[in-house]
Amino acid sequence: MQNNYILLDGKIVSEHLKKSFSERISKLKRKGILPGLAVILIGDDPASQVYVRNKERDFIKLGLNSRVFKFDKKAKKEDILSLIDHLNKNDEYHGILVQLPLPEGIDEFEIVSAISPDKDADGLHPYNIGTMTTGRECPFPCTPHGILKILEFYNIDPAGKHVAIVGRSNIVGKPLAILLMQKRNMGNATVTVCHSRTENLKEITRTADILVAAIGKPEFIKREHIKDGVVIIDVGINRVEDKLSNKGYRLTGDVDFNDVLDKVSAITPVPGGVGLMTRTMLIHNTLYLAEKKAGLI
């Protein structure tokens, strides 16, 4: 039984990285370049609105350019694609992000694919996913990259370890698996991707040295899913009804935090863990795209 554990604090890692961004931003500004991000928000999903507001605040604090372009949930596909085409050609914005998920009836693949790979701030364009898969540099998907940065900051090397990822989304599960198995720093892991059709899930997750929960089910992972000493990365952010809360709900992850606490060696909190890192890596990607265009890398 583990009596002591490390809280993998996303805020600490985020602030550490933001300090390293300062010199990169200064170098770009000395060349007359103000890194800019264009965010496209479609529909009125409350969670998406909060995310976008927080992202905009992050950029403003660092003296960067950020603008949100809003569409009604009934917006015509042609109007959205027309804006993306305009932003692709606009030198004011080095990165473009379409806030996901999109309203029903809008083809996510088509919209994301319309973004120029050279302005893909989310790292989700098919071209960049392919480039990442071959082991070459490009803007990586923000959440998987943020997870690697948390592990790196706390000196948790996945090399040679068994990493079980519960969840196979295009945003987290799949790209994270690709990054972890590559021959690179913070890679070289043996990776198992579990999902809703996985049989004997508990038998698999109990063999994991590092367990990543990205299944979108509140407090799904319990103590019977893990072995003693495991490192847990909880990607989930779920609203659960809580009548004792002033808001009427509380935020929880995909892991039952209190249930697993005496078995883990390290764990990310929710909130305050991976979510903060996703936003931080969005800044990194925007700077990376600006540096690449300026010929600095």
Side-chain angles (χ1 to χ4, degrees), residues 50-113:
V50 171
Y51 293 152
V52 167
R53 201 158 51 239
N54 287 336
K55 289 168 184 175
E56 192 173 24
R57 191 179 297 128
D58 291 341
F59 273 70
I60 291 171
K61 280 183 178 178
L62 290 172
L64 303 175
N65 179 25
S66 179
R67 182 178 172 186
V68 180
F69 298 83
K70 296 181 180 180
F71 283 96
D72 184 83
K73 64 181 179 181
K74 295 180 180 178
K76 293 180 180 179
K77 176 184 71 175
E78 292 76 16
D79 292 337
I80 300 168
L81 292 175
S82 176
L83 174 63
I84 292 173
D85 181 60
H86 169 73
L87 293 172
N88 282 337
K89 299 169 184 173
N90 189 335
D91 289 340
E92 185 179 353
Y93 302 106
H94 302 89
I96 302 170
L97 171 122
V98 176
Q99 181 62 42
L100 303 176
L102 298 181
E104 190 175 344
I106 300 178
D107 187 338
E108 182 179 302
F109 182 84
E110 183 177 6
I111 298 298
V112 171
S113 297

Side-chain angles (χ1 to χ4, degrees), residues 167-188:
R168 55 177 169 180
S169 73
N170 292 331
I171 297 175
V172 182
K174 291 177 188 175
L176 178 59
I178 291 167
L179 288 170
L180 282 167
M181 70 176 68
Q182 287 180 347
K183 291 182 179 179
R184 57 178 294 134
N185 182 40
M186 302 311 295
N188 296 299

Side-chain angles (χ1 to χ4, degrees), residues 31-48:
K31 292 180 71 72
I33 299 166
L34 177 63
L37 174 72
V39 179
I40 300 174
L41 177 62
I42 307 167
D44 52 8
D45 178 72
S48 291

Side-chain angles (χ1 to χ4, degrees), residues 6-10 12-13 149-156:
I6 300 169
L7 189 69
L8 306 176
D9 192 323
I12 292 174
V13 185
K149 289 297 183 181
I150 289 174
L151 294 174
E152 184 177 37
F153 182 86
Y154 285 98
N155 296 313
I156 300 170

